[in-house]
Amino acid sequence: MKTAITELFNIKHPIIQGGMHYVGFAELAAAVANAGGLGIITGLTQRTPELLAKEIAKCRDMTDKPFGVNLTFLPAFTAPPYPEYIAAIKEGGVKAVETAGRSPEQYMPSLKAAGIKVIHKCTSVRHSLKAEQIGCDAVSVDGFECGGHPGEDDIPNMILLPRAADELKIPFVASGGMADARSLVAVLAMGAQGMNMGTRFMATKEAPIHDNVKKALVAASELDTRLIMRAIRNTERVLKNPAVDHLLEIEREKGAKLKIDDIHDQVAGVYPKVMIDGQMDAGAWSCGMVAGLINDIPTVKELIDRIMTEAELLIRSRLTGFLDGDAASKAA
């Protein structure tokens, strides 16, 4: 399948594996790349630029296909050494960067000078237009269904994607609720040029995370996520567990007076405990509503091949069948 996204990133299939904390290691990024998608190493999971350079080299040893790096831009008072991380990306020969969080505007000249294609994650049309204005090559449009931070507008993809298609000139992919061929065909119909999957890629054999996490995703339904940190406008969608229940109790008690320090124990340092050690109740960790569509743990190649095969069947058989049926009824 050829779209503006496959052309932009020189990949076979219009499927991107988004950056995920303590999930986006070389093993997963290389598996996605080898299967024809765009795999992404999560930059800030690597504690230093030097460690990121090593992870890029490791991924390079595992695939000869294009892959990218995610850089999430945090508030200035906690800002990592971004110029050094970008230098590691450049020196590693990486030509695709997925940016998220705050605007990447101040780093765009450096990225563009290195010939790097930038796709920025946005949860609104206005932010997508800003990304286009500052020179991003593409946008990942995240609907309210997504795991992690869905923004504060609460707009689901059935509305957000057509609105983005109406406004944007650069290509975009859909993120949030993406799981299978139905997801891909639907978002293509709404104007996207591909899809970004996060939670779904966690439930694959190559995902370098604890089996407890994968089993939890298979067991979960679409009703098992919760929204936390709404009062401090840092909304995050996470999988329900006892720690999250306790966090929500604190939020109800504090109300509008809630501060991040009040829930520190439920959100700080959680990801290594969950993703590496398998401590499922260690705290709040990001998960999309798409968990309700995850029923197995295939290899990355099996998942991507299945999506692309079934997408072609949906387009060529089911959708054109509706038109063929209409023509036949008119003839009759």
Side-chain angles (χ1 to χ4, degrees):
M1 184 181 290
K2 183 181 290 188
T3 74
I5 288 294
T6 62
E7 296 294 285
L8 181 64
F9 295 112
N10 192 28
I11 54 179
K12 184 177 181 182
H13 306 306
I15 297 174
I16 297 174
Q17 165 249 316
M20 293 171 282
H21 201 35
Y22 276 87
V23 180
F25 293 100
E27 293 87 348
L28 182 57
V32 174
N34 286 329
L38 184 67
I40 301 285
I41 293 170
T42 307
L44 296 188
T45 294
Q46 304 299 320
R47 296 186 307 278
T48 67
E50 292 76 19
L51 287 173
L52 176 58
K54 290 180 180 178
E55 196 71 10
I56 290 170
K58 181 179 178 181
C59 193
R60 186 75 66 200
D61 287 340
M62 300 171 75
T63 183
D64 60 356
K65 304 291 194 300
F67 62 89
V69 172
N70 167 281
L71 276 182
T72 296
F73 293 102
L74 302 170
F77 60 87
T78 58
Y82 288 115
E84 287 87 346
Y85 275 97
I86 291 172
I89 292 168
K90 290 179 182 178
E91 291 163 12
V94 175
K95 294 300 181 184
V97 166
E98 175 193 64
T99 56
R102 297 200 166 194
S103 172
E105 184 170 8
Q106 73 180 96
Y107 303 104
M108 288 298 292
S110 177
L111 291 166
K112 302 304 286 185
I116 293 171
K117 304 295 184 184
V118 178
I119 179 168
H120 187 58
K121 298 189 79 170
C122 300
T123 60
S124 68
V125 174
R126 65 185 180 280
H127 292 150
S128 299
L129 288 170
K130 176 63 175 180
E132 179 177 80
Q133 177 192 332
I134 66 174
C136 292
D137 300 280
V139 175
S140 178
V141 178
D142 279 24
F144 187 54
E145 306 92 329
C146 73
H149 299 280
E152 308 302 325
D153 293 340
D154 300 0
I155 307 299
N157 270 327
M158 284 294 289
I159 306 301
L160 188 58
L161 298 177
R163 283 288 298 117
D166 288 344
E167 300 285 347
L168 289 171
K169 297 181 178 65
I170 58 174
F172 67 93
V173 297
S175 183
M178 304 297 109
D180 54 29
R182 295 170 298 183
S183 309
L184 179 57
V185 174
V187 302
L188 291 174
M190 287 188 279
Q193 298 287 325
M195 67 180 182
N196 178 310
M197 297 196 301
T199 304
R200 185 61 187 96
F201 273 125
M202 293 172 67
T204 58
K205 286 187 168 59
E206 294 91 341
I209 57 177
H210 201 283
D211 281 347
N212 288 352
V213 182
K214 301 178 187 184
K215 291 174 183 175
L217 293 174
V218 172
S221 82
E222 67 275 15
L223 303 175
D224 290 329
T225 67
R226 297 291 183 269
L227 296 171
I228 63 173
M229 299 189 287
R230 303 227 80 178
I232 57 176
R233 294 187 65 78
N234 188 34
T235 300
E236 183 178 2
R237 186 179 297 282
V238 300
L239 192 69
K240 171 181 164 62
N241 63 31
V244 170
D245 290 340
H246 181 51
L247 186 157
L248 291 171
E249 287 178 13
I250 295 172
E251 290 192 347
R252 281 191 290 270
E253 290 172 4
K254 297 288 183 178
K257 296 180 180 179
L258 180 75
K259 297 179 181 179
I260 190 64
D261 289 345
D262 297 323
I263 53 174
H264 177 272
D265 291 346
Q266 288 77 32
V267 298
V270 170
Y271 281 85
K273 296 175 185 177
V274 175
M275 301 300 167
I276 295 175
D277 300 333
Q279 299 177 31
M280 301 311 298
D281 299 335
W285 53 280
S286 296
C287 177
M289 295 175 78
V290 74
L293 298 177
I294 297 174
N295 302 307
D296 62 353
I297 305 172
T299 67
V300 166
K301 187 176 189 309
E302 287 169 347
L303 176 61
I304 291 180
D305 285 352
R306 181 168 73 198
I307 289 171
M308 298 312 301
T309 298
E310 292 179 1
E312 183 171 355
L313 284 172
L314 277 173
I315 294 167
R316 293 189 186 278
S317 299
R318 188 164 193 265
L319 298 185
T320 57
F322 291 140
L323 297 176
D324 293 342
D326 182 58
S329 65
K330 286 179 180 178

